[in-house]
Amino acid sequence: MSTLNYTESPLAPEKAAYRHKIPAGDFWIHKITAGQSVRIVDLEGNQAVDTIFYNAGDFAEYYSAQATIRGQRCIYLTTGTKIISSEGNVMLEITADTCGRHDTLGGACACESNTVRYGHDTKYMHACRQNFLMGLASWPGAACHLNKRDIPANINFFMNVPVTPEGGLMFEDGVSAGGKYVELKAAMDVVCLISNCPQLNNPCNGWNPTPVEVLVWD
Amino acid sequence: MPLLVPPAPSGTTFTTTRPAGPAPVPPAEIPPERLLYEETLPGGAGWSWSLRRHLTLRLTALENGANVSLICFNRHDLVDRYNMADTLKGQHTAKLTAGYILVSDMGRAMLSITGDTLGWHDAISGHDNAGIVRQKWGERSYQAARNEWFQNSRDHFLMELGKHGLDRRDLVANVNFFSKVTADDEGVMHYVPDHAKAGDFIDLRAEMDLLVILTTCHHPLDTAESYSPKKVKLQLWRSDPPGPGDWCRKYRPENERAFFNSEVLYI
């Protein structure tokens, strides 16, 4: 295991302006205004938190996994990582991280991709992109109709998906644990869409999806 | 017609057995009776095409250091499109070469890599844009330089997307053929300059009817001293449809199930 980068946050949970527990397998969509900080807490450990950010005023500007890793020349996300949009703008910056590494290449599970990965008997199981679609369909602030077109490559907070020097993509045991968190400060008004991964086929979470908590500070 | 039933669920591990022996080697010279179309793209160009199922698109680097940035869509359902993550995690790879397939976000095999002289094509670094080009090489406008102006992949992607009724929402993560980027133990990305040599080629067989959009602009991490996108030859040829024992279909159990998901489109 290479170096992990740990940085604690000075923000106190009791001073948060907003707190919400996302149940296992559920979605959450919420606006974070410029200057606010959002923390995601992995309450029980190794829970994949699949996350997309949109420009709150223009959903056609969205989180870009490729622009983000290219911008920092590193495939992992951690403290100091600037979250870059499809337009090349900084959306947020990771300001604290007690997990040390997060994935953005592995993407989100979907009913259809589950048929490829695990077999067609998994097609009707709940999946992250079902959550994303529900989140997009329920968001009242969008100026246009949102659908699968608006689901780009996402972040998987608390997941460890190393790329080997030979170009292999591995799924390692989680580097996270109960109580670990990641915190981001918004550089623009964004809408944060989370699917708290319901995946029951992947050993990363021990086949046991668990709740996570989100906190927002002004 | 035999009943189509889903292939067996298996093979989710990294150590899945691959077909024995090397990848089939496609003909270096495409037989004239199979060659349907040929075009040379200058460096810095954009191109889009309706690619019919089971035809093969051959891309050939005509100069050292060529790059082709590519995205593709289901021709009949443009919301069904190339998905980087599903392609990579389904096959446990961060690079693309012979045997691998490009997978859509509906779990369908879109393109199979049936031939490759290079062994590594970049799937993670994205495409360049006006800002990247300006930062590296400055600016050269059309007004000042006419066809010698500096172009970039993002602008070409947006123009070609627009021709097919698509827009920024559809500009998904892309592949960069002919380019190599590695990641070390710390995750730091390393671009390999001049990876492709003149004459290197890759064969991409369509497993469903596709809209293919590509550009011949620089790789976004290209370290070339001057702006100098390279020429690429495009050829369409009539390849054999994949049989039950096709090498790409059998490369991984995941591929077989993705092939099935494409084939049910044609019932």
Side-chain angles (χ1 to χ4, degrees):
Chain A
M1 173 66 67
S2 49
T3 325
L4 293 176
N5 181 9
Y6 302 113
T7 312
E8 301 223 5
S9 164
L11 297 174
E14 56 275 15
K15 292 197 173 160
Y18 172 93
R19 284 183 86 151
H20 175 73
K21 242 184 220 184
I22 310 174
D26 214 344
F27 70 87
W28 179 77
I29 183 163
H30 196 86
K31 185 176 173 182
I32 315 286
T33 54
Q36 282 190 322
S37 289
V38 56
R39 178 186 296 179
I40 304 165
V41 187
D42 185 8
L43 292 172
E44 298 183 31
N46 295 327
Q47 175 62 16
V49 182
D50 294 49
T51 306
I52 307 172
F53 295 102
Y54 301 90
N55 177 337
D58 173 15
F59 269 61
E61 179 175 8
Y62 45 84
Y63 169 70
S64 168
Q66 291 187 325
T68 298
I69 64 168
R70 188 176 68 238
Q72 64 187 328
R73 297 285 196 280
C74 183
I75 59 166
Y76 308 123
L77 278 49
T78 185
T79 307
T81 299
K82 291 179 168 62
I83 303 298
I84 310 286
S85 78
S86 53
E87 307 280 334
N89 297 315
V90 178
M91 307 184 89
L92 309 96
E93 181 171 342
I94 300 180
T95 49
D97 176 17
T98 62
C99 175
R101 169 183 292 183
H102 308 270
D103 161 62
T104 196
L105 295 178
C109 62
C111 298
E112 294 77 15
S113 80
N114 283 349
T115 68
V116 175
R117 295 192 69 198
Y118 308 110
H120 285 81
D121 54 334
T122 62
K123 185 174 173 187
Y124 299 102
M125 293 169 70
H126 194 34
C128 279
R129 273 179 255 169
Q130 309 284 85
N131 272 338
F132 285 151
L133 292 169
M134 279 302 291
L136 291 172
S138 70
W139 184 246
C144 58
H145 297 292
L146 301 171
N147 57 46
K148 188 163 73 63
R149 285 175 77 192
D150 303 284
I151 303 179
N154 58 282
I155 302 171
N156 290 311
F157 286 118
F158 309 115
M159 285 296 105
N160 184 24
V161 184
V163 170
T164 67
E166 297 75 37
L169 190 78
M170 316 284 283
F171 294 84
E172 297 282 292
D173 285 339
V175 287
S176 191
K180 299 234 178 195
Y181 62 81
V182 61
E183 199 170 286
L184 305 101
K185 186 168 184 172
M188 63 162 75
D189 290 357
V190 297
V191 170
C192 176
L193 174 57
I194 283 177
S195 166
N196 189 26
C197 187
Q199 179 61 266
L200 291 175
N201 299 291
N202 192 323
C204 290
N205 64 355
W207 297 281
N208 178 34
T210 52
V212 297
E213 187 174 26
V214 279
L215 301 89
V216 179
W217 288 265
D218 289 325
Chain B
M1 185 176 164
L3 181 69
L4 260 178
V5 290
S10 67
T12 55
T13 62
F14 183 67
T15 52
T16 308
T17 313
R18 299 225 163 107
V25 180
E29 293 296 326
I30 299 167
E33 68 277 13
R34 287 180 175 244
L35 185 60
L36 305 170
Y37 178 81
E38 192 171 275
E39 181 178 356
T40 296
L41 285 194
W47 186 83
S48 61
W49 194 272
S50 283
L51 182 59
R52 263 192 303 127
R53 184 186 188 213
H54 297 161
L55 296 187
T56 293
L57 168 63
R58 173 171 296 187
L59 306 173
T60 305
L62 294 179
E63 299 171 88
N64 295 349
N67 176 70
V68 173
S69 299
L70 179 144
I71 52 179
C72 54
F73 302 80
N74 178 339
R75 177 68 267 184
H76 309 296
D77 174 11
L78 297 169
V79 184
D80 180 16
R81 57 201 190 174
Y82 170 67
N83 186 292
M84 170 187 74
D86 289 351
T87 297
L88 301 186
K89 72 180 170 186
Q91 301 173 97
H92 297 258
T93 187
K95 69 178 177 193
L96 295 173
T97 183
Y100 291 117
I101 57 176
L102 275 64
V103 181
S104 83
D105 61 12
M106 293 298 280
R108 293 172 180 141
M110 305 184 92
L111 290 166
S112 293
I113 304 179
T114 50
D116 176 26
T117 61
L118 262 177
W120 190 307
H121 302 263
D122 168 50
I124 64 172
S125 306
H127 50 267
D128 75 353
N129 57 45
I132 293 172
V133 171
R134 194 182 311 120
Q135 202 176 7
K136 277 192 217 170
W137 300 298
E139 212 159 356
R140 203 188 278 168
S141 70
Y142 182 78
Q143 175 169 303
R146 296 293 188 261
N147 280 330
E148 302 303 310
W149 62 319
F150 289 176
Q151 305 191 61
N152 66 81
S153 288
R154 180 179 165 82
D155 289 355
H156 276 298
F157 276 142
L158 292 177
M159 289 187 282
E160 295 305 318
L161 285 167
K163 292 172 189 175
H164 299 277
L166 302 173
D167 62 33
R168 287 184 297 159
R169 295 165 70 194
D170 307 288
L171 185 39
V172 291
N174 65 286
V175 175
N176 292 304
F177 289 113
F178 299 130
S179 293
K180 180 173 182 178
V181 175
T182 62
D184 64 23
D185 286 344
E186 301 295 325
V188 177
M189 297 159 76
H190 301 278
Y191 173 78
V192 178
D194 284 341
H195 176 53
K197 305 298 176 212
D200 276 323
F201 70 84
I202 185 161
D203 270 348
L204 304 164
R205 184 183 63 209
E207 304 301 355
M208 54 200 268
D209 293 344
L210 296 173
L211 166 64
V212 174
I213 299 180
L214 58 82
T215 88
T216 53
C217 296
H218 278 286
H219 186 278
L221 298 177
D222 197 339
T223 51
E225 277 182 23
S226 58
Y227 175 86
S228 53
K230 304 298 193 291
K231 279 190 292 192
V232 172
K233 184 160 73 177
L234 309 175
Q235 289 168 305
L236 293 179
W237 63 285
R238 192 182 293 108
S239 45
D240 294 325
D246 180 75
W247 207 74
C248 290
R249 185 198 296 271
K250 290 291 184 188
Y251 195 58
R252 290 191 60 92
E254 289 87 346
N255 295 17
E256 196 160 11
R257 294 192 287 268
F259 269 69
F260 170 82
N261 289 343
S262 296
E263 281 160 356
V264 294
L265 285 173
Y266 295 89
I267 289 175

